[in-house]
Amino acid sequence: MSNDMSNDTTTNAATETEPEVVVHRAGRLGHLILNRPKALNSLTHAMVQTVRDTLEQWRDDDSVATVLISGAGEKGLCAGGDVVSLYRAAVDGRPEVGDEFFADEYAMNAFIADYPKPYVAFMDGIVLGGGVGVSAHGSHRIVTERTRLGMPETGIGFFPDVGGAWLLSRAPSGFGHHMGLTSSHVTGADALALGFADHYVESSRLAELATALETTGAEEAIAAVAATGAAVPESPLMQQRDWIESAYAQDTAEDVVAALRSHGDPAAAAAATQILAKSPTSVKVTLELIRRAAQMSTVHEVLDQDATVAHHLLRGHDMREGIRAQLVDKDRNPQWNPPTLEDVPADAVSSAFDPVTSGSRN
């Protein structure tokens, strides 16, 4: 899900002449453009449905050889889901609105993961939460020098959903745990190193690539513009491998924080501070989520797990409080409950994974 923490997604409703998703055909290319630039292209329920429905049409259309997804404006692909609308529904006693949104969003993520045609994602600029969901499960994932990718959900009392734990759990050396617990953003070079992306292309060449995809196969078109060898920047995060690998190998969130604090690297101490600012419940649930995802064999299992955890957290205190503090009142001072990692009981974590029965859906 997620959302850029500095933007209120209640703004920028599309006008009649500006659809929230621009559906464009040119040559052999089907191009989806997320079109809420003032809200960093955050996903509404209608946008999720449009993307899924269009992909379904193009799957069976032999005149479409390749699909491309990109974001309108200069700031990014997508800052996540429109969480303010889910917050308002939850406050009104209608958390099932969130269940319906997530059911459709996760179905869309699964559809992208299984798509039988080349699915090219321009992961340029901001790519957060739900933005990862519409891109990082695709077959051809393009990052640039402007990419800022992250799963910042623990900061709003939620967890890395949209199948993100599938990727986080498979990142090397504890980097996925670091991203998930701290909500840190990473660069395009980091995204390549961590397995969230496949190719590095300078942002100035994306328009050229989009045009080439109209007539040329995805592999050939991307190869013509993608950086290779020494032209691909090194991953800054990989330079932090020493403390990340050791700290995030600890058993509990409390032990992770203690290891970060004691390591001696200022970056490790900063990571500890970041974790302690997040929802303690979300941090512990996220650590368990990623560990469980590591044992799963398909992204579909992870998405099913996401639906279960989302159902429970929608009905908890911290998600409403996190969205209120970050995006509604914007006081940036969430009052988490429980307030510390030590105060989170074990059953508060385990119950987030309890199967959802039909009688507990309201």
Side-chain angles (χ1 to χ4, degrees):
M1 185 180 69
S2 176
N3 188 271
D4 178 67
M5 297 309 172
S6 62
N7 286 269
D8 185 341
T9 59
T10 59
T11 61
N12 192 51
T15 66
E16 290 182 7
T17 57
E18 284 290 328
E20 291 182 333
V21 180
V22 176
V23 179
H24 179 64
R25 286 286 309 277
R28 301 272 287 160
L29 179 68
H31 189 179
L32 291 163
I33 305 169
L34 306 180
N35 190 38
R36 299 180 69 216
K38 291 180 182 177
L40 288 179
N41 302 317
S42 58
L43 295 169
T44 65
H45 200 163
M47 291 169 73
V48 167
Q49 292 168 323
T50 297
V51 169
R52 167 64 190 270
D53 291 347
T54 306
L55 289 176
E56 203 150 8
Q57 294 167 16
W58 287 346
R59 178 191 60 187
D60 302 321
D61 185 341
D62 291 341
S63 69
V64 176
T66 302
V67 171
L68 169 64
I69 191 164
S70 65
E74 293 298 313
K75 293 186 176 180
L77 171 66
C78 174
D82 182 1
V83 295
V84 172
S85 63
L86 305 187
Y87 162 83
R88 299 200 189 286
V91 168
D92 289 343
R94 296 181 296 120
E96 67 276 5
V97 171
D99 294 331
E100 293 162 4
F101 174 83
F102 292 132
D104 285 346
E105 184 180 26
Y106 301 164
M108 173 191 68
N109 302 143
F111 202 73
I112 290 168
D114 289 343
Y115 209 62
K117 297 180 178 181
Y119 180 97
V120 182
F122 284 178
M123 300 168 73
D124 185 38
I126 293 292
V127 185
L128 301 177
V132 173
V134 298
S135 58
H137 299 307
S139 60
H140 296 72
R141 305 165 298 175
I142 311 293
V143 289
T144 76
E145 79 284 357
R146 303 191 301 191
T147 298
R148 292 295 178 270
L149 181 147
M151 301 294 293
E153 290 82 359
T154 55
I156 56 168
F158 202 56
F159 69 98
D161 65 334
V162 297
W166 173 256
L167 299 159
L168 294 171
S169 66
R170 283 154 178 78
S173 304
F175 290 119
H177 296 81
H178 174 69
M179 283 182 64
L181 270 58
T182 64
S183 295
S184 295
H185 294 188
V186 302
T187 69
D190 292 328
L192 283 172
L194 269 56
F196 280 74
D198 307 298
H199 304 282
Y200 188 95
V201 176
E202 291 292 329
S203 59
S204 61
R205 303 198 73 178
L206 292 179
E208 173 189 348
L209 175 54
T211 300
L213 290 169
E214 296 173 11
T215 56
T216 308
E219 294 285 348
E220 181 181 349
I222 293 168
V225 297
T228 58
V232 179
E234 289 189 11
S235 159
L237 198 59
M238 281 292 174
Q239 309 309 310
Q240 313 289 331
R241 181 192 289 265
D242 174 53
W243 62 262
I244 288 177
E245 191 166 40
S246 61
Y248 291 97
Q250 304 302 313
D251 287 340
T252 69
E254 294 94 326
D255 290 342
V256 168
V257 170
L260 290 169
R261 283 175 153 174
S262 65
H263 186 275
D265 190 309
T273 300
Q274 284 179 288
I275 292 171
L276 292 173
K278 311 308 178 192
S279 159
T281 301
S282 290
V283 166
K284 288 201 163 187
V285 167
T286 295
L287 185 58
E288 177 67 13
L289 180 98
I290 295 172
R291 288 173 173 168
R292 291 188 182 212
Q295 306 304 315
M296 294 177 177
S297 57
T298 70
V299 69
H300 297 276
E301 291 177 75
V302 175
L303 287 163
D304 287 344
Q305 175 174 260
D306 288 351
T308 296
V309 178
H311 173 90
H312 292 300
L313 266 58
L314 271 167
R315 289 152 177 82
H317 168 275
D318 277 9
M319 184 177 177
R320 290 195 296 271
E321 174 62 8
I323 296 171
R324 178 208 64 76
Q326 299 290 358
L327 297 167
V328 180
D329 297 338
K330 299 184 180 179
D331 58 33
R332 307 290 193 267
N333 186 32
Q335 301 300 304
W336 306 121
N337 185 23
T340 70
L341 290 170
E342 290 78 9
D343 290 332
V344 179
D347 62 357
V349 178
S350 61
S351 63
F353 298 87
D354 287 345
V356 179
T357 61
S358 56
S360 64
R361 290 196 174 275
N362 295 320

